Amino acid sequence: MTAGGSLPRYIVQRLLLMLPMIWFLTTMVFFLLRVVPGDPISAAFGDKITEEDKEARREKLGLNEPLWKQYLDYFGSLLRFDFGHTFRGNKDVLDVIIDKGGATLTLSIGAFAIALLIGIPLGLLAGRMRDSAFDVFIRIFGIFTYAAPVFWMGMMLILVVAPTGWPTSQIANPSTLREVPTVTHVLLFDSILDGNLVAVVDVLIHHALPCFTLGLLLSGVFIRLVRVNVLQTLKGDYVEAARARGIAESKVVRHHAFRNALVPVITVIGLQVALTLSGAVLTETTFGWPGIGNELIKFMGQRDYGAIQGIVTFIAIMVVLVSLLVDIINAIIDPRVRY
Amino acid sequence: MLTRLTSPFRNTTGMARWLLIVGLMMTAIFLFLAVFAPLVAPTGFNDSMMNGKEIADNQAPSGTHWFGTNDAYNDIFSRTIWGARTAVQVVLFSLLFSLLIGVPLGLVSGYLGGWVDRLLVFVMDAMYSFPSLLLALIFSFLLQDKLGGGIMPAALSLTVIYIPQYFRVVRNTTVSAREATYVEAARAIGAKDRTIMSKYLFGNVIQSVPVIATLNAADAIGTLAGLGFLGYGIEPGEAAEWGYDLQRAMDEATSGMWWQSFFPGIAIVLLITGLTLLGEGLNETINPSLRKRRITKVVMPPHTPKEIAK
C-alpha cells in the first residue's frame, strides 16, 4: 500500500481543496448580493420608511462601512456560523434556516428514496432488453420525467389528486402543527419523538405528493444512468468470459452486469444534490411547502437582501460540504478513487 | 457538407435512428411556430379580443378557443404559440452568449495550461457545482432590477449556468489535442499560438459542441419556465412565457380548470423531449461506445478459380 492511496490522506487533501471552493462561492455571493444592488436598504423598503430610519438601519447593518470592511465582517461572521440577519423583523438567518431546513431535508430524502425505487429497476430492465418495446417505453418515460417541469408535474398531480381529498399543500394539518412540540425542527422526527401516531401519519401523508413529484424528476436521471451502465457492462470482457464459462445468462446478467452497473449510482446521487435543491425550490413553491426554497422566494419578493444573502451563502456551503461527503464515501467504497 | 449533415442518419440504425428523426421533427415544428407565430396564432400574445369579439374568461377548450381561455381574457392557444417564440428567442441568445464566452475560454485555458488553466478550471467548477436554477434565479433577480424583465436579462441569466459546461468540454478536448502530431507539426512550421488555436484546434474541439448545445437548449427551456414560474422570468407585458402562464394557472389548479395549466406545460414537455431526443440521437452517432452502426452488406467480388486464372 502506497502513501498516496491512504484514506486519511485523501480526506485531508479533499478538505484542503474544499476551503478555496467555499471561499470563492461565498465571495461571489457577497459581491452579487451586497454590491450589485447598490443600496439594498432602499431597494428593500422603497419609500415605506423614512430616510432617517433607512440611515439607522444601514448603520446597524454596517452598510456604511467601506466595502473591504464589510467583506471582512461577512467572513468573520461566517466563521462563527453567523449568516446575518433579515432586514424585516431582524431575525437571525440561521434560525430561519434551522426552522425551515427540516422540511426541505425530509422532502429531499423522500424524493431520493422514491427516485431510486423507480429508477434502478426500470433502468436495469431497459438496459437488459435494449431496443425492445419495453426499452423504448422506459426511455420515453425517462425523457418525460426529465422534460416535464417539476412544478407542472406537481400541478397535474394536484389536479388529479385534489378531488379525492388527499392533502395537496402544506406539511401537516394545522392541528398537528399545534400539537407537536418543536425539538429537532424536523416535523417528522418531532412527531415520532412525541409518540403521536396520528401526527406521524398526517405528516407522512402530506409528504407523499411532494416527494413523489420531486422523486419522479430525479428518477429519470437514474433510469438513464443505470440503463447506459448496463449496456456498457454487458459489453465487458468479464461478462463475455462468464458467458463463455457456460454460466446461465440470467445469472450473468444479475451477478456480473447488474452489480457493476450500480456502482456509479452512488457517485451520481452526490451529483444530483444540486439538481435536488433546484427541484426543491420549485416543488416547495408548488405545494406551499414550508422549506428553505419557499422561504427564499418569499424573501426575494420582499427584496430582503440580508435574508437572501444568508440563505444563498448557506446553500453554497452545503453544496460543497455534501460533495465532499460523497467523495469520501466513494473513496471508502471504491479504493481506485483514492489514487 | 451534405454528407456530413446526413451522417447521423446514415450511421445509425433501428431505434436510435427513429428517435433522432422524431426529435428533429418535434424541434422543427416548434421552430416553425416560433418563426411564424404572428401567422399561426389567432390573436396577439396579450390580446383580449379575437376576430373583433371580446374573449370570455376561463372558458374550457372549444371550437373557437382550442385550448380554452385564461383569467386575463387571453386565448390560451395563441399564448402557447407565442410562448414558443419567447422560449426559442431566449434559448438562442443564451446559447450564443455562452458559446461565445465558454468556447474561447476553454480553448485558451486548455492550450496555455499553467496557472491560467488552473484558475479558470477552479472558477468554472465552483460555478458548476452550484444549483443551476438558483444561480439563474439570483442573476435574474438582480438583472431584473437593472434591465427589466425582457428577453435579454432572461437570456443572460441562463448564459451564466451554461458557460462552465462549454468551457469544460472544450478545455478537456483541447488538452488532449494539444499534444497531437498535427499541432506539433503546426508549431514546427512556426505557427503562432493564435493560429494554432483558431486554425488547428478550433475545428477539432468544436465537434463535441452540437450535442451539448442541443441538450443545454433542452435544459434552458426548463430553467426559463422555472424562472417564470417563480416570478423572475419574462415579465408579462414583454412577451408570452409558458412558466409565467403556469404560475397564473397555479391559483386555479384546485378549481378544475385543467386547460390553463395543461397546454403550456405540454408545450414545454414536447419541446424539451424533442431537443433531448435530437441531442441523444446525435450523441449516439458521435460517441462510439454507444453506437450501433448500420450494417452495410459487403459485396465481395466473385471469387472463382476461373477468374483468377484469367
Side-chain angles (χ1 to χ4, degrees):
Chain A
M1 179 147 179
T2 53
S6 82
L7 193 57
R9 190 184 163 128
Y10 175 80
I11 293 175
V12 170
Q13 276 176 349
R14 282 295 285 111
L15 271 170
L16 290 177
L17 277 173
M18 181 195 81
L19 293 175
M21 192 72 113
I22 288 183
W23 167 77
F24 174 77
L25 282 176
T26 47
T27 303
M28 192 171 81
V29 172
F30 174 84
F31 279 98
L32 281 176
L33 289 166
R34 177 73 57 94
V35 181
V36 173
D39 176 14
I41 294 290
S42 295
F45 294 100
D47 300 328
K48 280 176 221 140
I49 57 174
T50 61
E51 201 50 50
E52 293 97 71
D53 199 3
K54 278 187 201 168
E55 192 51 36
R57 279 172 192 269
R58 271 184 220 122
E59 193 58 44
K60 197 162 133 236
L61 289 164
L63 294 174
N64 285 337
E65 305 276 358
L67 203 58
W68 62 268
K69 196 158 180 304
Q70 291 187 38
Y71 182 63
L72 288 183
D73 279 350
Y74 171 73
F75 267 99
S77 310
L78 278 188
L79 292 179
R80 284 176 274 116
F81 295 104
D82 176 359
F83 290 89
H85 290 78
T86 63
F87 283 2
R88 271 160 229 257
N90 199 29
K91 276 189 282 185
D92 197 327
V93 175
L94 189 62
D95 285 341
V96 176
I97 291 167
I98 290 172
D99 199 35
K100 304 288 175 186
T104 304
L105 187 73
T106 48
L107 170 69
S108 308
I109 292 174
F112 261 115
I114 290 173
L116 292 173
L117 278 175
I118 301 174
I120 290 180
L122 292 186
L124 287 176
L125 285 173
R128 171 81 189 85
M129 300 194 255
R130 181 180 187 173
D131 289 346
S132 68
F134 179 77
D135 179 31
V136 175
F137 174 75
I138 293 303
R139 283 183 76 184
I140 292 174
F141 174 77
I143 291 171
F144 177 75
T145 59
Y146 167 77
V150 65
F151 51 94
W152 180 72
M153 192 70 100
M155 288 164 78
M156 290 294 112
L157 287 170
I158 291 175
L159 272 174
V160 175
V161 169
T164 66
W166 189 277
T168 56
S169 73
Q170 287 300 326
I171 193 169
N173 288 331
S175 60
T176 306
L177 292 174
R178 258 193 324 266
E179 281 167 24
V180 176
T182 303
V183 185
T184 62
H185 292 273
V186 183
L187 191 61
L188 184 62
F189 300 161
D190 283 348
S191 319
I192 295 171
L193 283 178
D194 192 34
N196 187 339
L197 194 65
V198 181
V200 174
V201 172
D202 181 45
V203 173
L204 284 177
I205 285 176
H206 278 80
H207 270 78
L209 209 51
C211 287
F212 181 71
T213 308
L214 186 54
L216 218 49
L217 167 80
L218 297 173
S219 74
V221 176
F222 292 111
I223 292 176
R224 288 146 71 97
L225 170 79
V226 172
R227 179 182 172 273
V228 171
N229 285 340
V230 170
L231 293 185
Q232 275 169 356
T233 51
L234 276 174
K235 278 187 189 166
D237 290 340
Y238 57 92
V239 169
E240 202 66 24
R243 280 191 185 130
R245 289 204 304 276
I247 298 170
E249 181 68 16
S250 64
K251 211 169 169 185
V252 172
V253 169
R254 253 183 296 127
H255 290 265
H256 298 258
F258 281 6
R259 280 202 192 168
N260 283 297
L262 292 181
V263 175
V265 169
I266 299 157
T267 316
V268 170
I269 289 181
L271 294 176
Q272 296 318 310
V273 170
L275 176 67
T276 314
L277 274 172
S278 294
V281 175
L282 294 167
T283 313
E284 288 176 5
T285 313
T286 314
F287 291 99
W289 195 255
I292 290 184
N294 203 355
E295 204 64 12
L296 177 66
I297 300 300
K298 280 186 200 157
F299 282 127
M300 281 187 161
Q302 299 169 348
R303 294 283 185 276
D304 192 325
Y305 287 89
I308 300 168
Q309 181 181 298
I311 293 177
V312 175
T313 303
F314 173 78
I315 292 175
I317 295 175
M318 279 310 293
V319 171
V320 178
L321 287 181
V322 170
S323 83
L324 170 77
L325 194 69
V326 172
D327 279 354
I328 292 175
I329 293 174
N330 266 328
I332 294 170
I333 297 172
D334 187 352
R336 280 174 300 182
V337 175
R338 292 177 221 161
Y339 292 95
Chain B
M1 187 66 197
L2 198 68
T3 41
R4 294 245 341 235
L5 276 177
T6 54
S7 74
F9 298 103
R10 281 182 293 110
N11 283 340
T12 47
T13 171
M15 208 35 79
R17 185 182 212 204
W18 191 78
L19 291 177
L20 182 66
I21 292 172
V22 172
L24 190 64
M25 283 175 65
M26 288 167 79
T27 311
I29 290 171
F30 275 98
L31 282 177
F32 175 85
L33 290 178
V35 174
F36 296 105
L39 300 176
V40 184
T43 74
F45 75 89
N46 222 359
D47 286 359
S48 54
M49 301 276 278
M50 189 163 129
N51 303 327
K53 270 187 278 180
E54 278 188 19
I55 299 172
D57 64 338
N58 296 331
Q59 295 295 303
S62 65
T64 5
H65 301 291
W66 293 354
F67 292 178
T69 64
N70 66 12
D71 60 342
Y73 306 92
N74 303 134
D75 175 47
I76 294 179
F77 180 63
S78 304
R79 278 194 75 84
T80 308
I81 288 168
W82 285 103
R85 176 176 259 211
T86 311
V88 168
Q89 279 177 323
V90 173
V91 168
L92 283 181
F93 276 121
S94 78
L95 281 186
L96 182 73
F97 295 151
S98 42
L99 279 170
L100 280 178
I101 301 171
V103 172
L105 274 183
L107 203 57
V108 170
S109 182
Y111 183 73
L112 293 182
W115 67 269
V116 179
D117 183 42
R118 252 173 284 159
L119 185 72
L120 278 170
V121 167
F122 170 73
V123 169
M124 293 291 170
D125 275 357
M127 299 213 346
Y128 188 70
S129 71
F130 204 79
S132 62
L133 178 83
L134 274 176
L135 195 60
L137 181 66
I138 295 165
F139 274 90
S140 195
F141 171 72
L142 294 169
L143 285 173
Q144 273 197 355
D145 282 353
K146 310 257 160 203
L147 305 173
I151 303 270
M152 275 304 151
L156 287 172
S157 311
L158 293 182
T159 302
V160 179
I161 56 183
Y162 299 115
I163 291 174
Q165 303 195 13
Y166 296 107
F167 171 84
R168 263 189 179 195
V169 172
V170 171
R171 185 242 165 214
N172 289 347
T173 19
T174 310
V175 167
S176 51
R178 189 176 53 190
E179 305 305 327
T181 326
Y182 66 89
V183 177
E184 217 180 313
R187 230 178 265 134
I189 56 171
K192 287 191 211 91
D193 282 350
R194 249 185 96 97
T195 321
I196 293 177
M197 278 192 263
S198 58
K199 292 256 152 76
Y200 292 80
L201 287 170
F202 181 75
N204 283 294
V205 299
I206 207 73
Q207 307 250 352
S208 45
V209 165
V211 173
I212 319 165
T214 318
L215 294 174
N216 277 348
D219 192 66
I221 301 285
T223 309
L224 175 69
L227 290 179
F229 179 74
L230 295 172
Y232 295 96
I234 309 283
E235 265 170 17
E238 299 271 348
E241 201 271 318
W242 295 327
Y244 170 80
D245 284 0
L246 285 172
Q247 185 208 38
R248 285 291 290 266
M250 186 69 214
D251 306 328
E252 319 292 337
T254 44
S255 68
M257 285 191 264
W258 57 272
W259 59 91
Q260 297 185 349
S261 46
F262 180 76
F263 292 109
I266 216 69
I268 300 173
V269 173
L270 290 176
L271 181 49
I272 296 182
T273 306
L275 285 165
T276 310
L277 288 178
L278 185 62
E280 283 201 347
L282 288 175
N283 194 23
E284 289 207 15
T285 66
I286 292 170
N287 184 350
S289 68
L290 297 171
R291 181 167 48 202
K292 249 188 167 181
R293 268 191 192 277
R294 204 161 164 197
I295 300 163
T296 25
K297 264 197 189 147
V298 181
V299 185
M300 297 292 268
H303 179 70
T304 51
K306 221 181 181 177
E307 275 183 19
I308 289 172
K310 266 184 199 171

